[in-house]
Amino acid sequence: MKVQKLEVYGDSALIIYQVKGEWQTKDPKLIPYQKYLLELIKKFEEISFTHLSRDKNQFADALATLAVMAQMEEGQTTQVLQIKARGEPAYCFIVEEEIDGKPWYHDIQVYVKTREYPSGASRNERRMIRRLALGYFPSNEILYKRSSNGELLRCVDAKEARRILFETHEGNCATHANRHMMAKKIMRRGYF
């Protein structure tokens, strides 16, 4: 691309300070990468490295995630990406509303208890419900999902999910962690 001047921003203090020469690279696995990077640096007239804390690097982190997910061939053009800032954190918008007044897991719960499908369910929908039901366990009116380590996670409806998100992020638990850590914390508390 013939770029001559480059500003590099990263949220890994370890990598940024190692590249700048302020910290030593001790991990034998990282040494070849650092050597390669030092060779690349020589190809620029001007290059700077700046450490950003993770909370100031959320946008770049999201773009990096998109770049890894997108499959593009060299020279291929793509659609313009429009980004809309929200007034509330994005996780607030992932709790789906229950249009019919039933929780998201209702069809699975009915199938696990009675082996009955929803009326009008297609063949594919029935197959999907059967497959999903394998990982769930009923106890009275409560449905649990069996996690990979065998732990039972209680399935919650939209109202309870909002309460759990609030408690975990701002309320009693007061964690201001990233989305992955928050999800792990909620699952450790026994919710799905």
Side-chain angles (χ1 to χ4, degrees):
M1 297 174 80
K2 300 179 183 177
V3 173
Q4 293 301 309
K5 294 181 181 183
L6 183 65
E7 294 178 7
V8 179
Y9 296 91
D11 60 13
S12 170
L14 176 70
I15 300 299
I16 294 294
Y17 292 123
Q18 285 177 344
V19 170
K20 290 170 85 172
E22 295 177 27
W23 293 356
Q24 287 183 335
T25 305
K26 295 180 181 177
D27 186 342
K29 294 179 205 166
L30 293 178
I31 291 172
Y33 292 105
Q34 185 181 20
K35 285 181 181 176
Y36 178 70
L37 187 56
L38 293 174
E39 288 301 313
L40 284 177
I41 289 172
K42 294 175 185 175
K43 296 182 179 190
F44 295 94
E45 285 178 15
E46 190 178 314
I47 187 166
S48 65
F49 295 88
T50 305
H51 174 254
L52 292 176
S53 58
R54 288 190 191 270
D55 62 323
K56 293 180 181 164
N57 200 30
Q58 292 175 350
F59 186 70
D61 188 39
L63 287 175
T65 302
L66 282 174
V68 170
M69 293 170 46
Q71 296 179 357
M72 291 183 60
E73 295 177 20
E74 190 175 334
Q76 179 183 354
T77 57
T78 185
Q79 296 176 347
V80 174
L81 178 65
Q82 292 184 357
I83 298 170
K84 185 177 183 182
R86 294 188 183 265
E88 298 179 53
Y91 64 80
C92 295
F93 296 99
I94 63 170
V95 178
E96 293 182 13
E97 291 300 321
E98 296 156 352
I99 298 165
D100 58 1
K102 298 174 186 172
W104 64 268
Y105 54 85
H106 175 76
D107 294 339
I108 298 168
Q109 188 173 34
V110 169
Y111 179 80
V112 168
K113 285 183 173 182
T114 66
R115 296 288 185 231
E116 293 177 7
Y117 299 103
S119 60
S122 70
R123 189 172 154 212
N124 284 340
E125 289 169 334
R126 290 176 181 218
R127 187 172 2 130
M128 182 183 70
I129 290 171
R130 269 195 317 274
R131 285 183 184 165
L132 286 172
L134 294 173
Y136 291 84
F137 172 78
S139 176
N140 297 324
E141 293 301 312
I142 299 172
L143 186 66
Y144 293 91
K145 180 177 181 8
R146 210 177 314 270
S147 70
S148 58
N149 66 1
E151 184 179 2
L152 296 177
L153 304 172
R154 187 165 63 89
C155 298
V156 295
D157 60 17
K159 182 178 178 183
E160 194 168 8
R162 280 190 194 84
R163 182 188 59 77
I164 293 165
L165 281 170
F166 175 79
E167 281 184 10
T168 305
H169 191 261
E170 298 172 13
N172 299 334
C173 302
T175 182
H176 292 282
N178 67 34
R179 62 188 178 274
H180 301 295
M181 293 306 294
M182 238 176 83
K184 285 180 183 178
K185 186 166 189 166
I186 289 170
M187 290 178 81
R188 277 196 305 268
R189 290 178 63 202
Y191 299 107
F192 180 73

